């Protein structure tokens, strides 16, 4: 009479369940990591619209603090730019008495193709899923060194020779709470001296090639820069005003599997080895 076939015991079934759960969980974690791309290097270029900044004054807000602009008077004028550090205070070569002196003596004639240096050591780098970035945005931020200086081209304050604005060390990031009919949720935030959202990005264009374990991918963003409510409130500028455009080109890579995922795979493998070494119980 043939012997009955071996049947797994309750204990071996439990081991199999634990093994299955560990493999499935590890697969989920590893799979989600594999779909996430990380920006490892990038370039940021901005084209400021000098005429838009010159007309950026919120005249009502200025009147509330006792400053009245004369018709046709410029409000703010671009001064200096530095690509890897903050440019410092612009210094005219002689006493500034009116806006013409300010422009003729030292104001930079061009505000186009201003570049900034990528910070590869940032603690919270920009990461995203290429398949959902258009709808879900990204996490973290792409951080850049460098900045820009502006003078308040305003007769009421130019005579003091001291009223100027400096911002930079930008972070390009996504904030889902800022998405509305106009704004994409992407923005540039100043981190120099204070953290202040400066420009909401509109008319956003996104291009992405996913990275894999052996080949780098890329992320391309471009759009228009509009003055945020925060920037407007702090510096008496017209909220929502289009003051330029930007372009971002990032090289991306797939990050290494997380430590938790790797440990789960190792643990699952050990359980499997132990299971194979045990002799199956039989029903007598």
């Amino acid at each position: 009479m043939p012997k009955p076939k071996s049947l797994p015991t309750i204990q071996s079934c439990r081991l199999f369940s634990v093994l299955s759960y560990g493999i499935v969980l590890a697969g989920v974690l590893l799979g989600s990591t594999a779909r996430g791309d990380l920006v490892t290097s990038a370039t940021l270029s901005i084209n400021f619209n000098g005429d838009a900044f010159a007309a950026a004054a919120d005249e009502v807000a200025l009147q509330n603090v006792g400053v009245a602009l004369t018709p046709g008077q410029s409000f703010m004028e671009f001064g200096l730019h530095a690509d890897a550090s903050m440019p410092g205070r612009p210094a005219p070569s002689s006493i500034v008495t009116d806006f013409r002196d300010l422009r003729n003596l030292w104001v930079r004639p061009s505000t186009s193709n201003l570049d900034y240096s990528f910070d590869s050591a940032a603690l919270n780098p920009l990461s995203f899923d290429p398949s959902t970035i258009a709808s879900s945005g990204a996490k973290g931020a792409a951080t850049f060194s460098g900045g820009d200086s502006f003078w308040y081209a305003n007769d009421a304050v130019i005579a003091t020779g001291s009223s100027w604005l400096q911002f930079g060390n930008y972070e390009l990031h996504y904030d889902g709470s800022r998405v509305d009919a106009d704004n994409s949720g992407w923005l540039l935030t100043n981190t120099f001296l204070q953290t202040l959202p400066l420009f909401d990005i509109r008319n956003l264009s996104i291009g992405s090639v996913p990275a894999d374990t052996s080949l780098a991918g890329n992320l391309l963003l471009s759009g228009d820069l509009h003055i945020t409510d925060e920037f407007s409130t702090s510096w008496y500028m017209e909220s929502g005003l289009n003051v330029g455009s930007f372009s971002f080109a990032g090289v991306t890579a797939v990050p290494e599997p997380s430590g938790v995922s790797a440990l789960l795979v190792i643990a699952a493998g050990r359980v499997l080895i132990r299971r194979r070494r045990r002799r199956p119980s039989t029903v007598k």
Side-chain angles (χ1 to χ4, degrees), residues 82-148:
D83 63 354
S85 61
M86 297 306 294
R89 177 184 173 180
S93 58
S94 63
I95 298 175
V96 174
T97 58
D98 61 29
F99 177 66
R100 288 174 300 177
D101 290 338
L102 186 67
R103 178 184 289 276
N104 293 335
L105 290 174
W106 60 268
V107 170
R108 179 188 172 109
S110 174
T111 57
S112 300
N113 301 317
L114 306 180
D115 296 324
Y116 306 82
S117 298
F118 180 72
D119 182 4
S120 59
L123 297 179
N124 188 25
L126 192 69
S127 62
F128 64 98
D129 184 334
S131 64
T132 61
I133 186 173
S135 58
S136 302
K139 298 179 181 180
T143 303
F144 295 87
S145 299
D148 310 285

Side-chain angles (χ1 to χ4, degrees), residues 258-270:
S258 68
V260 173
S261 302
L263 287 175
L264 280 172
V265 172
I266 294 171
R270 287 178 177 173

